[in-house]
């Protein structure tokens, strides 16, 4: 459930930022990547605090504090890809 919520959030953020600034493609891509990164990391902490990240096998809460650098890098990379493709799609659709 959590990955689907984060994916929908990322697509909506990238779509909104690229829709508002269609001329500045790379600036909108970088800005939406940064916003996606901030929203995703904040959402991970919110989901952990609310108990949504409980393992189905062990029943323990997820502890990702030691891997935040890896998580942040992966979120930034995939946020960049989502922003790039959503921006390209909106650019093609608008023209």
């Amino acid at each position: 459930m959590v990955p689907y919520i984060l994916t929908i959030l990322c697509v909506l953020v990238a779509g909104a930022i690229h829709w508002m600034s269609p001329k500045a493609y790379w600036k909108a891509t970088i800005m939406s990547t940064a916003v996606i990164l901030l929203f995703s990391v904040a959402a991970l902490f919110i989901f952990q605090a609310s108990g949504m990240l409980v393992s189905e096998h062990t029943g323990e809460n997820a502890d990702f504090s030691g891997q935040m650098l890896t998580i942040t890098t992966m979120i930034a990379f995939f946020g960049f890809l989502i922003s790039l493709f959503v921006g390209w799609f909106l650019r093609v659709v608008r023209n």
Side-chain angles (χ1 to χ4, degrees):
M1 177 82 173
V2 173
Y4 300 119
I5 293 171
L6 288 176
T7 303
I8 290 170
L9 176 74
C10 291
V11 170
L12 290 176
V13 164
I17 291 176
H18 277 282
W19 188 265
M20 290 183 155
S21 59
K23 302 281 186 202
Y25 177 74
W26 290 107
K27 181 181 176 186
T29 300
I30 297 300
M31 187 184 331
S32 65
T33 300
V35 172
I36 287 170
L37 178 65
L38 290 174
F39 278 166
S40 296
V41 171
L44 282 176
F45 284 111
I46 291 169
F47 290 144
Q48 183 185 24
S50 67
M52 289 182 71
L53 297 179
V54 176
S55 173
E56 295 177 7
H57 301 291
T58 62
E60 297 177 359
N61 278 338
D63 182 28
F64 51 81
S65 59
Q67 284 119 15
M68 278 308 293
L69 181 62
T70 305
I71 292 171
T72 304
T73 304
M74 290 173 61
I75 290 174
F77 175 71
F78 289 114
F80 179 73
L81 286 180
I82 289 171
S83 179
L84 200 71
F85 292 135
V86 168
W88 175 78
F89 176 76
L90 288 177
R91 194 175 192 183
V92 168
V93 169
R94 285 185 114 173
N95 287 336

